[in-house]
């Protein structure tokens, strides 16, 4: 049974402007340690690819926060929600700290997809109960 659905579209130009204004502080606020390492590596090799990576992560976390119905308030924080990927390349959500505890206590499972094009990054998230008989 579905618990919630969230979607988000992010203007990559807005992310670029935030990086220009605030430098790495913006990425450090939004990304987990693992995501930061990937962002830095991609940005070093191809800066535009790094910007798109940050935009997709920002968008995915927004979509997830909408799907769980709490927006950006505790226990949801930017850094407690990590967007990783399986060896196949499929994106997955990895939760940390209080958010992980809250999510697991509710018996939830998340599915996320991300995409980007020149000026936009978009994400779609479905959160469901792991046990369909459990709806609270």
């Amino acid at each position: 049974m579905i618990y919630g659905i969230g979607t988000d579209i992010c203007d990559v130009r807005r992310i670029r402007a935030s990086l220009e204004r605030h430098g790495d502080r913006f990425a450090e606020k939004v990304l987990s340690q693992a995501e930061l390492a990937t962002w830095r590596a991609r940005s070093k090799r191809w800066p535009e690819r790094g910007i798109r990576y940050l935009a997709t992560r920002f968008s995915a976390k927004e979509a997830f926060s909408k799907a769980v119905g709490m927006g950006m308030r505790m226990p949801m924080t930017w850094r407690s929600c990590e967007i990783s990927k399986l060896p196949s390349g499929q994106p997955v959500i990895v939760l940390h700290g209080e958010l992980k505890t809250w999510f697991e206590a509710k018996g939830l499972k998340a599915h996320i997809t991300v995409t980007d094009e020149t000026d936009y990054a978009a994400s779609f998230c479905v959160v469901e109960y792991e046990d369909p008989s459990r709806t609270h």
Side-chain angles (χ1 to χ4, degrees):
M1 174 167 209
I2 292 178
Y3 178 86
I5 298 171
T7 189
D8 188 75
I9 186 165
C10 175
D11 191 327
V12 174
R13 297 165 293 191
R14 189 174 134 225
I15 299 298
R16 185 180 299 108
S18 291
L19 284 169
E20 289 168 0
R21 253 190 330 274
H22 305 291
D24 287 3
R25 286 182 314 161
F26 178 71
E28 290 165 354
K29 176 183 174 183
V30 172
L31 301 175
S32 71
Q33 286 302 113
E35 291 168 325
L36 266 172
T38 301
W39 173 73
R40 286 187 173 124
R42 288 184 182 190
S43 294
K44 187 175 183 179
R45 282 195 331 261
W46 185 22
E48 189 60 30
R49 191 166 176 222
I51 291 168
R52 284 204 212 105
Y53 176 85
L54 179 55
T56 58
R57 273 42 194 181
F58 183 91
S59 175
K61 293 175 187 201
E62 283 281 334
F64 174 78
S65 74
K66 293 171 185 175
V68 295
M70 65 177 58
M72 285 297 169
R73 61 183 164 80
M74 292 301 286
M76 177 67 196
T77 67
W78 291 110
R79 297 183 60 145
S80 64
C81 178
E82 180 179 324
I83 310 304
S84 188
K85 66 179 182 173
L86 299 176
S88 66
Q90 177 185 352
V92 294
I93 294 178
V94 179
L95 302 176
H96 303 282
E98 290 179 47
L99 181 58
K100 180 179 181 177
T101 302
W102 174 86
F103 195 76
E104 289 175 352
K106 288 205 162 278
L108 300 175
K109 179 179 180 180
H111 308 276
I112 189 81
T113 186
V114 299
T115 190
D116 67 272
E117 204 39 67
T118 305
D119 292 334
Y120 298 98
S123 301
F124 187 75
C125 182
V126 175
V127 174
E128 64 179 336
Y129 291 99
E130 284 205 72
D131 177 358
S133 66
R134 183 177 178 176
T135 58
H136 292 63

